[in-house]
């Protein structure tokens, strides 16, 4: 694990760290720990996908920095204390590889109707299309996020942040490789076609968009990037953790390794927002401003007012909640019941039979114009449960941001909006619910929306802050320098060498 990871994040890191890794073979054209050279057909298929991937990266990856030397980490395997090495790399030369967590001998399917049977090493024929769909949806999000973030390098608030952006980007690229490996190895011609389609869809494209809504939104500024890596990458954590419980063992092993990389992405998000909060509080205190709503005066200091941070967070939280699908879903039930996708921490959950045939789960719904709680068959409420676990998981970082605000003596608290706020998918879609959980009419909602979600003036102000700070040790006014650099390097290290 990177030395840069903050001690406050140990729970994220510990909860998702795999136990043991296998050495990666870097002699092959495609680095791997899956003995790729023993399967010539698979190797050839992946080697013919590889140049298309690099073309996609050059076209859709970080704009303007493809020739820069970036201080990146690359996975080399072995064990959790030292699984990655650091060094300067030009991004198109990054060694994207195929890495699976080691096989657990005797592993059984942890849940659903096949619970207790040996985990599948090959695709279970009857569930082929459902399994393929889950892998494709997961795979599609990875290049999508790189596309969404491709313009951000030009306005990086420091070289440290720029490097973290590129680290996240190359690792999302590797996560795409992880899903493509599964598609090509286990799904024949169909899988190869899906692997190609993953390089053809484009985030936000009118005719050929990415599959899930949030991945077609823009990431127009660095505050969005930090919110995205805190809130949306956390959906990645939850979904990967649920897929790590899969009865299809190669998927489980892929996701277990991906989770290790995901910890750094969450760190980037949490500390990015945290450093923004820190800069705001310090500037307010220095100027003697105590009212967090004195927006005009606060913005003059070149920092982001806390109510604006809340509105940004509201947007990213609500859009990300949609990524869990409908709270009540037969797809969700099928994914669990077939054993293809578990709940968060499935194998460690105590207190039920992991089959849930007779169990119920409480789901909040809108019935006859009222918000009510209903007992729903637990199988059909699998998505709802993962969403609830996600919302609970979001709170840790928010509490830490609030602690910093409180310590600075400012009377403001960042909070999570009601689950139904600003939703487009699921139980609350089509309803208008305020952040505090009141059902309201469309007109009243529209009139208040600018207080709850970033408005035009907010976006124009954020845009005005997005100026490049590309000299070593330089940080934009709106974000505090980090407490530590990456891999024990100083905070003024030249993390990116720009031509
Ligand atoms: N937008 O029964 P439903 C990550 C579709 S993030 C558009 O409600 P289901 C990452 C759905 O596909 C993690 N469409 O839900 C983070 C279905 O369509 P079809 C990504 C949506 O199927 C940051 C229909 O509506 N991984 O890794 O139970 C950076 C009815 O579906 C949306 C996964 O998501 C939406 N928001 O659940 C980089 C895990 N929601 O099939 C990376 C794999 C639903 O009828 N995916 N629909 O045409 C899944 O487990 C499920 O596909 C979902 C949806 C949870 C996404």
């Amino acid at each position: 694990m990177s030395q840069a990871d903050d001690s406050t994040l140990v729970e994220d890191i510990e909860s998702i760290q795999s136990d043991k890794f296998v050495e990666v073979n870097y002699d092959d054209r495609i680095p791997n720990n899956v003995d790729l050279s023993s399967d010539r057909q698979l190797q050839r298929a992946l080697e013919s996908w590889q140049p298309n991937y690099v073309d996609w990266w050059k076209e859709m990856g970080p704009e303007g920095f493809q020739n820069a030397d970036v201080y990146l980490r690359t996975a080399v395997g072995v064990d959790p204390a030292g699984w990655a090495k650091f060094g300067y790399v030009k991004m198109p030369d990054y060694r994207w590889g195929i890495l699976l967590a080691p096989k657990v001998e005797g592993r059984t399917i942890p849940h659903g109707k096949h619970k207790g049977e040996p985990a599948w090493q090959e695709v279970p024929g009857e569930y082929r299309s459902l399994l393929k769909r889950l892998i494709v949806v997961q795979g599609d999000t990875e290049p999508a996020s790189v596309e969404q973030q491709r313009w951000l390098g030009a306005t990086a608030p420091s070289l440290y942040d720029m490097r973290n952006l590129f680290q996240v980007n190359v690792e999302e690229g590797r996560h795409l490789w992880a899903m493509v490996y599964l598609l090509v190895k286990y799904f024949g011609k169909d899988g190869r076609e899906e692997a190609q389609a993953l390089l053809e869809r484009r985030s936000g494209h009118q005719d050929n968009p990415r599959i899930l809504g949030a991945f077609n939104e823009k990431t127009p500024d660095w505050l969005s990037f930090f919110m995205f890596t805190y809130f949306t990458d956390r959906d990645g954590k939850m979904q990967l953790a649920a897929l790590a419980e899969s009865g299809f063992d190669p998927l489980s092993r892929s996701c277990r390794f991906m989770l290790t990389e995901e910890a750094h992405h969450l760190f980037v998000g949490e500390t990015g927002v945290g450093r923004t909060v820190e800069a705001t509080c310090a500037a307010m205190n220095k100027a003697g401003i105590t009212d967090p709503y004195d927006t005009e005066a606060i913005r003059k200091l070149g920092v982001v007012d806390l109510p604006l941070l809340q509105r940004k967070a509201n947007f990213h939280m609500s859009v990300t909640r949609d990524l869990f699908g409908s709270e009540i879903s037969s797809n969700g039930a099928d994914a669990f019941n077939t054993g293809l996708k578990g709940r968060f921490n499935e194998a460690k959950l105590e207190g039920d039979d992991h089959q849930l045939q007779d169990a119920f789960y409480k789901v909040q719904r809108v019935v006859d114009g009222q918000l009510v709680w209903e007992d729903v068959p637990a199988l059909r409420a699998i998505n709802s449960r993962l969403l609830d676990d996600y919302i609970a998981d979001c709170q840790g970082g928010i509490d830490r941001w609030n602690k910093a605000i409180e310590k600075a003596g400012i009377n403001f608290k960042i909070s999570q909006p009601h689950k139904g706020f600003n939703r487009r998918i699921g139980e609350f879609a089509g309803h208008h619910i305020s952040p505090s959980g009141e059902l309201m009419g469309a007109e009243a909602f529209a009139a208040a929306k600018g207080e709850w979600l970033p408005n035009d003036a907010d976006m124009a102000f954020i845009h005005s802050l997005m100026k490049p700070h590309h000299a070593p040790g330089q940080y934009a006014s709106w974000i505090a320098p980090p407490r530590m650099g990456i891999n024990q390097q100083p905070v003024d290290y030249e993390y990116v060498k720009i031509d």
Side-chain angles (χ1 to χ4, degrees), residues 162-313:
M162 186 193 281
R163 176 263 166 213
N164 283 347
L165 164 72
F166 296 158
Q167 182 71 57
V168 168
N169 291 161
V170 292
E171 284 174 353
E172 300 301 6
R174 208 204 66 70
H175 290 183
L176 171 60
W177 270 93
M179 293 300 113
V180 163
Y181 164 72
L182 296 175
L183 289 170
V184 173
K185 179 167 165 78
Y186 295 99
F187 292 89
K189 185 165 173 286
D190 283 6
R192 291 195 295 278
E193 284 170 7
E194 293 286 7
Q196 190 50 36
L198 285 167
L199 297 177
E200 286 166 6
R201 284 187 286 273
R202 292 283 181 271
S203 175
H205 195 280
Q206 214 176 348
D207 303 323
N208 197 14
R210 293 293 170 183
I211 297 169
L212 299 177
F215 292 91
N216 289 303
E217 298 283 346
K218 287 198 166 69
T219 307
D221 56 70
W222 276 80
L223 212 44
S224 301
F225 171 66
F226 292 133
M227 292 289 178
F228 183 98
T229 38
Y230 187 73
F231 291 110
T232 310
D233 276 81
R234 193 168 298 274
D235 171 45
K237 168 185 167 181
M238 303 307 286
Q239 299 289 352
L240 289 173
L243 293 173
E245 304 288 345
S246 181
F248 180 54
D249 207 40
L251 176 59
S252 165
R253 292 172 58 201
S254 288
C255 292
R256 274 196 284 140
F257 190 83
M258 290 161 79
L259 280 166
T260 311
E261 292 159 318
E262 205 64 39
H264 180 69
H265 307 186
L266 300 173
F267 163 82
V268 168
E270 178 173 338
T271 54
V273 177
R275 289 161 52 216
T276 308
V277 166
E278 196 183 323
T280 302
C281 293
M284 284 175 67
N285 280 341
K286 195 164 165 219
I289 301 171
T290 50
D291 178 4
Y293 294 94
D294 192 353
T295 304
E296 213 183 310
I298 295 167
R299 290 187 180 182
K300 275 194 189 133
L301 305 173
V303 292
V304 183
D305 48 295
L306 299 175
L308 169 48
L309 270 179
Q310 174 73 65
R311 288 195 284 279
K312 270 281 198 191

Side-chain angles (χ1 to χ4, degrees), residues 133-135 137-139 141-143 145 148-149 168 172 175 211-215 228 232-237 239-240 243 258 262 265 319 321-333 335 341 383 386 425-426:
R133 177 77 183 158
L134 289 173
I135 295 171
V137 172
Q138 178 62 52
T141 63
E142 315 291 2
S145 68
Q148 289 173 296
Q149 295 162 13
V168 168
E172 300 301 6
H175 290 183
I211 297 169
L212 299 177
F215 292 91
F228 183 98
T232 310
D233 276 81
R234 193 168 298 274
D235 171 45
K237 168 185 167 181
Q239 299 289 352
L240 289 173
L243 293 173
M258 290 161 79
E262 205 64 39
H265 307 186
V319 167
R321 289 166 180 181
D322 279 344
L323 291 174
F324 289 80
S326 303
E327 283 83 352
I328 302 172
S329 159
S330 58
N331 288 348
K341 182 179 171 189
N383 288 350
L386 195 60
I425 302 268

